[in-house]
Amino acid sequence: MTAPTEPSRVPEGLWVKCPGCAQILYNKDLSANSSVCQQCAHHFRLDAAARLRSLLDDGVWKEHDAGLVSNDPLGFTDRKPYAVRLQEGMAATGLRDAVITATGAIERFAVEIVAMEYGFIGGSMGVVVGEKITRAVERSVARRHPLVIICCSGGARMMEGTLSLMQMAKISVALARLDRARVPYVAVLTDPTTGGVTASFAMLADVSMAEPGALIGFAGPRVIEQTIRQKLPEGFQRSEFLLEHGMLDMIVDRRELRSTIARMLSFLGAAPAAMGPPDSDRRPDAVPPSELTLD
Ligand SMILES: [Zn+2]
């Protein structure tokens, strides 16, 4: 997990200072504009639920595996116990781990969708995130629904050690099956997409999109500079630099993300379903919590 960038999520309160242009923005106007600054188009970070609301038809979805929780397999403690970090993440986000996986529709294309939650331990990927994403990929294969993953993560979760790194291989294997089944996969890389997430599923999509100005990389710039003993170029690891160097297919303004994903799904041969909104619920509290087994 690399160090986070400057806090870019919209803070609470009436007014917000934009880190892009230093303008003072009225919070309500900012929310109405998909949390994109009207002056300079700086993209503030969105939480996973807001992301799903902004992309899915009627703002509704059916959530899966909401009850999976990490059982702290290493009994890990750094500055504080991992168990405490998990509790804090749950209290801050209302989620049980750093991802929401769901079924919904984007302009009538039924999709399996994954939205990562930066507010939960930096969107880091441990066993729960890895398992939920793998199951989402498997649902895509079984139902032949295109897969859409909104990446937002500091990388593998160090508090779960090697078990976190294993998730990279597990998800990649599932994605290879999705590829063989010829079901489309669209990834959206948002600020930040780094570490083990970049080194696995974020870079394996049929179409890779990114939001403007997003930090996307594997190791942080300081580590690279110290390793290669060279100064890095301006804008290194930002979406625009990656597009120029062939690592991305397109950069999409958030306000056009929904229509662009739909256009790509159509281009990739997905057929819009005659489905209504999914039968359900944004936060199915009815799902009983279940411990995740590690075998
Ligand atoms: Zn601005």
Side-chain angles (χ1 to χ4, degrees):
M1 201 174 125
T2 51
T5 43
E6 78 284 356
S8 159
R9 187 166 163 173
V10 178
E12 311 273 323
L14 220 46
W15 302 94
V16 187
K17 187 173 175 183
C18 173
C21 63
Q23 288 275 335
I24 305 296
L25 309 171
Y26 187 44
N27 215 342
K28 262 196 181 148
D29 293 344
L30 189 58
S31 301
N33 197 41
S34 307
S35 297
V36 175
C37 173
Q38 282 124 320
Q39 311 292 327
C40 73
H42 173 80
H43 282 49
F44 285 79
R45 201 167 287 148
L46 277 188
D47 64 45
R51 178 65 74 173
L52 293 182
R53 273 197 301 278
S54 76
L55 289 177
L56 296 174
D57 294 358
D58 303 316
V60 295
W61 60 89
K62 178 169 175 49
E63 187 173 356
H64 302 286
D65 304 314
L68 292 187
V69 290
S70 174
N71 53 10
D72 187 10
L74 305 180
F76 193 86
T77 296
D78 51 286
R79 270 170 320 188
K80 51 178 127 168
Y82 176 40
V84 172
R85 290 191 190 277
L86 286 169
Q87 289 302 327
E88 288 174 352
M90 290 181 207
T93 63
L95 303 177
R96 291 194 175 92
D97 214 303
V99 74
I100 298 177
T101 55
T103 305
I106 297 178
E107 296 191 357
R108 295 184 54 240
F109 290 100
V111 293
E112 295 305 319
I113 188 163
V114 172
M116 303 188 79
E117 174 56 68
Y118 195 80
F120 196 109
I121 317 186
S124 57
M125 173 170 63
V127 286
V128 172
V129 169
E131 181 63 20
K132 285 173 80 166
I133 295 177
T134 304
R135 291 183 189 186
V137 179
E138 289 171 348
R139 268 192 304 277
S140 276
V141 175
R143 299 174 175 182
R144 301 199 64 79
H145 288 170
L147 175 69
V148 176
I149 301 185
I150 315 299
C151 303
C152 185
S153 173
R157 187 174 295 170
M158 62 182 181
M159 301 82 163
E160 294 186 11
T162 312
L163 294 167
S164 295
L165 300 180
M166 264 179 57
Q167 309 308 314
M168 296 164 64
K170 187 168 81 179
I171 297 169
S172 300
V173 167
L175 286 172
R177 279 192 220 113
L178 184 74
D179 188 50
R180 282 200 294 277
R182 305 184 70 77
V183 177
Y185 166 31
V186 173
V188 181
L189 281 51
T190 73
D191 185 64
T193 297
T194 58
V197 167
T198 306
S200 60
F201 61 87
M203 290 293 180
L204 292 173
D206 296 308
V207 176
S208 301
M209 305 178 182
E211 288 193 333
L215 174 73
I216 301 165
F218 180 60
R222 232 173 335 145
V223 174
I224 300 174
E225 283 189 339
Q226 283 165 8
T227 308
I228 64 172
R229 294 163 200 272
Q230 280 178 38
K231 200 90 194 101
L232 292 168
E234 186 70 346
F236 180 70
Q237 292 183 323
R238 294 286 164 185
S239 331
E240 294 72 14
F241 186 94
L242 270 79
L243 180 70
E244 207 175 296
H245 291 80
M247 297 291 286
L248 292 173
D249 296 308
M250 59 182 86
I251 294 176
V252 184
D253 186 294
R254 183 179 296 159
R255 295 161 290 187
E256 280 144 30
L257 196 53
R258 180 176 139 81
S259 59
T260 307
I261 294 173
R263 205 164 64 243
M264 283 304 120
L265 294 181
S266 164
F267 176 71
L268 292 168
M275 62 180 272
D279 42 285
S280 234
D281 44 273
R282 296 164 192 216
R283 237 354 121 63
D285 289 319
V287 178
S290 56
E291 288 281 304
L292 181 66
T293 52
L294 296 172
D295 53 20

